[in-house]
Amino acid sequence: MGESLVDVVRTADGSTTEHVGGSAANVAVALARLGRPVRFATSFADDAHGGMIAGHLERAGVRLANQPHSIARTSTAVATLDENGAASYQFDLDWVLDAPTVEGALNAVHVCSLGAVLSPGSDVVHDIVSRLRGSTLISYDINARPVITGSGPELLERVERIVESSQLVKASDEDLAALYPELDLADAAVRLLERGPSAVVVTLGAQGAAWFSRAGRVKVPSTPVTVADTIGAGDTFAAALLDGVIGRGVDLAALDEGAVREVLTRAVRAAAVTVSRPGADPPYAHELT
């Protein structure tokens, strides 16, 4: 569950292109490309940008789980790339969510980024994860956007209420710095772990990724890559992480160090594929074998 939007990408040479994006939409497409059946609850308008999103999801094999036309204008994000391909964002976002229809057994429910903390849609997300937390794996990628949400106590409260209903939490080093500026990275990850999840996974950019659980910590290095841009990298990592966990059963406490290392390494590789090509263009399963 979460936001869909169109990324208007401005490169360092002044050119502009448009790609379908939004953290949750990127995760839905990445999971579908990895072979997982996906039903996606989101919102976009019945306009040209909304048509782009609908077509992109359909081509990826993502099914909609709700009626998405609950907003008047499809949300956009202007992504400005620097000379290294790193993106900074300005958002024009309206987040309203019609509650999805939950059909049959679920492998997992994934929520993320603005969709989990931006009202009024975040209230629907919170209600659903609270209701489903005992019956399915809840995965949450914090992916904070302080430019929209701010970075003070209100954001922290909204993040932590979703963390408390989640078993698997992913955060970047930048997320942790925004949420807990007084703590170092490891202490911030432990602070999240103390809210109840079984595992907290932290992406570290060029330094790889780390898994924190009550059994200990596991860290893996990054995959060397020539960066086209960083759009969708964290979303691809989150999708591959969830795919790897589902593939090994969803009891996170049962994963030994070797299994955790394999899951993290594959997620890092998946993110590297995404940053090697323009836009949020995640890999297919065969590209990771």
Side-chain angles (χ1 to χ4, degrees), residues 205-206 222-230 268-277:
S222 62
T223 298
V225 64
T226 300
V227 176
D229 64 52
T230 61
V268 166
R269 286 175 51 216
V273 173
T274 295
V275 302
S276 73
R277 48 206 194 194

Side-chain angles (χ1 to χ4, degrees), residues 1-2 4 24-25 27-29 31-33 36-42 44 53-68 100-106:
M1 294 181 288
S4 298
V27 172
V29 168
L31 280 167
R33 288 188 177 184
R36 296 290 172 188
V38 179
R39 299 183 70 241
F40 182 32
T42 190
F44 50 82
I53 293 169
H56 182 66
L57 296 173
E58 183 177 6
R59 287 189 296 274
V62 175
R63 295 171 55 209
L64 291 173
N66 69 334
Q67 193 290 110
T101 301
V102 179
E103 298 176 351
L106 302 173

Side-chain angles (χ1 to χ4, degrees), residues 134-155:
S135 60
T136 191
L137 174 71
I138 306 295
S139 167
Y140 175 34
D141 179 6
I142 294 173
N143 195 8
R145 301 294 188 188
V147 68
I148 289 183
T149 62
S151 57
E154 184 176 348
L155 172 62

